[in-house]
Amino acid sequence: FHSCKMNRLPIFKNRGKDLDDMRRRRGETTIELRKNKREASLMKRRIVQQQLAENDEPLPNSLNAHQLALAAADASNPREQLAAVKMARELVTLDKPPIKTLIRSGMVESLVACLDPKYPPNLQLEATWALTNIASGTSEETERVTAAGAVPLLVNLLSSADQSVAEQAVWALGNVVGDGPQQRDYVLDHGVIKPFLALMTSTNISHKFLSNIAWVIGNMARKAEPLMADQAVLDLMPGIKVMLEHTNTNVVADTVSCINAMCMCGNDRIQVVLDSGVVPKVVSLLESHSLAVLLACVNAVGNIVNGNDEQTQCVLDCNALTYFPALLLHPNMQLRRESLWFLSNITAGTESQVQEVLDSGLMSLIIESMWNGDFQTQREAAWTIANACNRGTAQQVIDIINDRVIPPLCNLLPSHDSALVRTVLEALKNMLDMSAPNELEVAIMIEECGGLEKIEQLQNHENGEIYMLAFQIIEEYFADDEDTESINLTEFKFEPHMGNPPGSPFNF
């Protein structure tokens, strides 16, 4: 099995293999889907969606950018100052905003000056809104906002009595920290955590506001070297725990997504999350009626069990597997796929963890997913089975065979997905290897459901690894036809079925 990024789990982690290389995997397509979704949710955002132009657009109505910046900075005429700042905000929310022109005019500095506590909330709001859009642009534009001294003033606005001003300050800071670790640490150094905690634990904050805070924390916590300091994560946890108890499902889902971002940063960060005591609550949310919450929770616990065996066991000790029968039967196919991905990380663990999956009664549902799921669902189910056959004991492999797993596995051999075909072949070979001295009985199962013919065809496959695996299986277990035919087939109550599998098991 190859690593998470490129390959599945290596065959046995205790045979001279590196622990990180042995542990866990993701399907290539699943990675891409998850990556796209994560990048879409964590990217810097604007209040008004817009398309950045490569070149600046001219100011409308022949406005003079320099004069506009001077008016925005002129506190002696509050009415004209507000009008100028509002005009700047409208300009940067156009489809093709003239941001570079405004920056060159000194507008950023004028807008930052309007964040001073001496100014009224309506002026602060307009200025913060404009700066939010400027900070959501290129790194150079974000840097111009921070260089003008916006960050300490924005952090101060988080405590504003006007909630709309505080909320807009959250948006602006989210776009700043989204520019990278340096900007993130700069915001943290200016004490953003304390006002964040006050907002996260307040009972007077709107649902949307709390979701925005979760988005900013997710931006800070995402994987980017260097990672956010462990202490910062721990300092935020009291507020995160409060938000997990919120009655609004969007707030809960966004908060879990924030935790998920933390759990994608390696085993050390996973341990920090575990030590915070937040995981039992996340696991309990797997019975939520909200699809958004369920998806966020499965992703979060899936990334935790993507850690080491001890971290995986922490999730299992929270009785996580008890929620997965319902998840594997959920009408949403994406949730089923994510659930199978989670289980594949469990079956890539220790023998006792494989046994927990078997004892939970989930194997029949996993096999059912290979029969009736869409392609990506079948793919994740196959990885789950293959990992179990790789990491399990001989008896565990026999138990899996008795659940009639061979026909649906063989059904996947004609796939055009080379990685999947290789994984199925490895699983079948492990079943044959681990079932000794009854390997001929397993060979007959493979032949009876049409698997042998499919394996023979794979000897012509363009992928060298697939060709070699197919060749080895045939040479080792199917080369001597006379021995195969000498088996008394009437002893074995196996009836191949290419639709839904019958219920009676095959027993050695």
Side-chain angles (χ1 to χ4, degrees), residues 376-430:
Q376 294 301 329
T377 303
Q378 292 175 325
R379 196 174 191 272
E380 290 296 336
W383 286 123
T384 307
I385 296 295
N387 282 350
C389 292
N390 230 358
R391 301 306 305 273
T393 64
Q395 184 58 52
Q396 288 169 339
V397 173
I398 290 172
D399 291 341
I400 293 171
I401 295 172
N402 282 336
D403 273 329
R404 306 185 65 80
V405 72
I406 290 177
L409 272 178
C410 291
N411 240 14
L412 298 176
L413 287 173
S415 171
H416 295 295
D417 186 325
S418 296
L420 175 60
V421 173
R422 184 173 64 250
T423 298
V424 172
L425 286 174
E426 289 173 346
L428 292 172
K429 189 175 187 305
N430 280 333

Side-chain angles (χ1 to χ4, degrees), residues 117-412:
K118 69 182 180 182
Y119 288 110
N122 59 344
L123 182 64
Q124 293 173 335
L125 177 61
E126 294 288 349
T128 306
W129 191 344
L131 290 169
T132 298
N133 284 271
I134 295 172
S136 69
T138 65
S139 292
E140 181 183 353
E141 291 162 354
T142 306
E143 173 62 29
R144 190 60 179 263
V145 171
T146 57
V151 168
L153 292 169
L154 288 170
V155 171
N156 184 63
L157 289 180
L158 295 176
S159 304
S160 173
D162 189 306
Q163 190 173 128
S164 60
V165 173
E167 185 171 6
Q168 194 60 55
V170 168
W171 276 93
L173 290 168
N175 283 338
V176 170
V177 301
D179 193 59
Q182 183 176 356
Q183 298 285 16
R184 175 204 63 207
D185 291 342
Y186 182 67
V187 172
L188 286 170
D189 289 343
H190 280 84
V192 74
I193 290 180
K194 184 176 180 180
F196 265 9
L197 286 174
L199 292 169
M200 295 162 76
T201 56
S202 173
T203 59
N204 299 317
I205 301 300
S206 70
H207 301 159
K208 180 182 176 183
F209 195 172
L210 287 173
S211 290
N212 287 340
I213 293 173
W215 166 70
V216 176
I217 295 174
N219 254 356
M220 293 193 297
R222 62 178 173 168
K223 188 173 184 178
E225 297 296 337
L227 296 176
M228 182 168 68
D230 289 348
Q231 189 58 52
V233 174
L234 291 172
D235 289 344
L236 286 165
M237 278 302 173
I240 289 174
K241 290 179 180 179
V242 171
M243 290 172 64
L244 285 177
E245 300 289 346
H246 205 281
T247 56
N248 182 271
T249 55
N250 290 331
V251 172
V252 174
D254 288 335
T255 305
V256 176
S257 295
C258 164
I259 296 171
N260 183 43
M262 297 175 180
C263 295
M264 296 176 69
C265 298
N267 292 2
D268 291 342
R269 180 51 48 84
I270 289 174
Q271 193 60 50
V272 172
V273 173
L274 287 169
D275 292 342
S276 73
V278 76
V279 173
K281 177 60 182 180
V282 174
V283 171
S284 71
L285 289 170
L286 289 171
E287 64 179 354
S288 171
H289 297 294
S290 165
L291 177 60
V293 172
L294 290 176
L295 286 169
C297 289
V298 172
N299 274 322
V301 295
N303 279 306
I304 293 174
V305 300
N306 204 29
N308 59 43
D309 292 334
E310 292 73 22
Q311 291 166 341
T312 298
Q313 193 60 46
C314 288
V315 175
L316 293 176
D317 290 343
C318 295
N319 298 317
L321 292 179
T322 61
Y323 300 97
F324 278 83
L327 295 176
L328 290 179
L329 294 172
H330 197 280
N332 183 271
M333 199 58 69
Q334 180 186 355
L335 182 58
R336 292 191 193 185
R337 288 193 294 269
E338 300 289 347
S339 299
L340 287 164
W341 166 72
F342 167 87
L343 292 171
S344 72
N345 283 337
I346 301 296
T347 58
T350 64
E351 293 174 357
S352 64
Q353 289 167 354
V354 172
Q355 190 62 46
E356 287 195 52
V357 174
L358 295 177
D359 293 342
S360 69
L362 290 169
M363 193 55 63
S364 61
L365 293 175
I366 296 169
I367 295 171
E368 178 68 19
S369 296
M370 280 197 293
W371 284 111
N372 297 324
D374 60 16
F375 173 72
Q376 294 301 329
T377 303
Q378 292 175 325
R379 196 174 191 272
E380 290 296 336
W383 286 123
T384 307
I385 296 295
N387 282 350
C389 292
N390 230 358
R391 301 306 305 273
T393 64
Q395 184 58 52
Q396 288 169 339
V397 173
I398 290 172
D399 291 341
I400 293 171
I401 295 172
N402 282 336
D403 273 329
R404 306 185 65 80
V405 72
I406 290 177
L409 272 178
C410 291
N411 240 14
L412 298 176

Side-chain angles (χ1 to χ4, degrees), residues 7-24:
N7 301 303
R8 293 279 175 162
L9 184 73
I11 295 179
F12 295 103
K13 76 175 183 181
N14 295 323
R15 294 186 181 179
K17 305 287 185 178
D18 182 78
L19 179 61
D20 290 337
D21 291 336
M22 290 189 302
R23 189 70 187 172
R24 312 301 185 240

